[in-house]
Amino acid sequence: MLERLVTDAVTKADLIDAIAHAGPEVQATVDATSADLHRTLGHLLSRAQSAGPIRADIGIADLMAILSGILLALRHRANAGADPRLALAVLCDGLRAGHRPRNGDLPDADPAQTPDTPPPPGTP
């Protein structure tokens, strides 16, 4: 299912753009379809987690955010040479069980520090 989503998003970019700018009638249908997709993927994710092959620390909101990011990146012209199948393979590799949950492992972000700002002296 994920493979088809990625393939369709890349090959049907014009259709996706047209739908995104459609009127309220079309948008209502898109919203309903999106909700169905969200429920279906959530159900599949839950079943896969219960069966064991998919890591337990990811929820549907996380999966949808990651998938959306991949789809947006693949549509950007700067990434025209990117292989959608490889992007999907990397996503699937990261979903496999055996990866350690990271919730407590990530440092809290310092809002005063940007990626270009060096850390204060004496900070590891």
Side-chain angles (χ1 to χ4, degrees):
M1 178 176 220
L2 291 178
E3 184 175 351
R4 183 166 179 203
L5 278 172
V6 171
T7 302
D8 285 353
V10 171
T11 59
K12 300 176 181 176
D14 292 342
L15 175 60
I16 293 169
D17 288 339
I19 290 171
H21 296 95
E25 303 83 23
V26 173
Q27 197 58 49
T29 301
V30 169
D31 290 345
T33 302
S34 178
D36 287 344
L37 175 64
H38 197 271
R39 273 192 302 279
T40 300
L41 284 177
H43 178 72
L44 291 172
L45 176 62
S46 179
R47 286 182 52 198
Q49 287 171 321
S50 294
I54 301 297
R55 57 192 295 162
D57 63 332
I58 188 167
I60 188 60
D62 301 312
L63 177 59
M64 294 303 285
I66 295 165
L67 184 58
S68 295
I70 288 172
L71 295 175
L72 287 171
L74 289 171
R75 292 185 57 215
H76 195 279
R77 69 175 180 249
N79 303 323
D83 182 351
R85 293 168 300 175
L86 179 58
L88 183 60
V90 170
L91 168 63
C92 290
D93 285 348
L95 289 173
R96 286 193 180 86
H99 288 271
R100 199 166 55 102
R102 304 230 354 144
N103 289 346
D105 296 341
L106 298 176
D108 292 332
D110 180 359
Q113 191 172 354
T114 64
D116 297 327
T117 306
T123 304

